[in-house]
Amino acid sequence: GIAIDSASNAYVVGYTNSKDFPVTSGAYGTVCGTNGTCAAAHVTKLNPYGTSILWSTFVGGSKSDGSDTLFFTGPIQLDGKGNIYIMGQAGPTFPLFNPVEPAVKDGAMQVLVAELDPTGSNLLFASRIGSGNIATATSYPAGLVVDSAGDIYLAGNTIGPGLITTPGAFQT
């Protein structure tokens, strides 16, 4: 996915298997895999002409067994403060930070939504959204929107019971 800020910089989110992917010093994630295998998402900020990388970071993928891999399907959004919101499908040990739901049991792939600061240096939050804490449940990301108040809206599907809902939701 691609998002453009008010200064016409492009933010690109994707997936790589390259340990040589260009990440920048001071980025949130600069290591991909520890045993020669790399499997990670990346977020890269390009200048308005696409001729220079302003910053680039791995998101997930630092464990040698690949269990913290974040597979992206493309959703990326910016808020009015310049924070970057990304959404993908995460392995069972992706590191959560200020999560809405607890860690997933081994084996399940769940939707993950995360927020990076405008510099790409800090993960502000990362939370899984899925079918409770059930190892056989799988959830799939589809869409992400952040409104002017900073509220996050997600779309996707889940296989399994236990999706968190709020009071008054259309279907609980």
Side-chain angles (χ1 to χ4, degrees):
I2 299 174
I4 307 295
D5 67 16
S6 61
S8 297
N9 296 303
Y11 297 76
V12 180
V13 64
Y15 176 81
T16 185
N17 289 114
S18 174
K19 291 181 74 78
D20 297 326
F21 191 86
V23 293
T24 53
S25 177
Y28 165 70
T30 57
V31 175
C32 185
T34 57
N35 68 350
T37 302
C38 173
H42 69 84
V43 179
T44 302
K45 180 179 179 180
L46 302 170
N47 73 357
Y49 304 101
T51 57
S52 178
I53 295 174
L54 302 179
W55 59 258
S56 185
T57 185
F58 290 123
V59 182
S62 63
K63 293 190 177 182
S64 62
D65 65 358
S67 63
D68 68 335
T69 299
L70 184 55
F71 302 97
F72 278 96
T73 58
I76 181 170
Q77 290 283 305
L78 307 174
D79 69 13
K81 298 176 186 174
N83 295 317
I84 302 101
Y85 298 80
I86 54 179
M87 183 182 181
Q89 191 180 48
T93 62
F94 187 91
L96 304 179
F97 185 67
N98 296 324
V100 174
E101 288 193 63
V104 67
K105 288 184 179 179
D106 290 340
M109 295 292 289
Q110 298 292 316
V111 168
L112 184 105
V113 61
E115 177 185 10
L116 292 164
D117 75 352
T119 69
S121 300
N122 298 294
L123 185 68
L124 302 178
F125 85 88
S127 185
R128 71 176 201 86
I129 306 294
S131 295
N133 200 17
I134 301 168
T136 58
T138 301
S139 298
Y140 301 94
L144 164 70
V145 173
V146 180
D147 69 14
S148 61
D151 296 319
I152 304 166
Y153 300 87
L154 306 173
N157 67 39
T158 187
I159 300 169
L163 179 67
I164 60 169
T165 58
T166 56
F170 173 72
Q171 188 174 7
T172 59

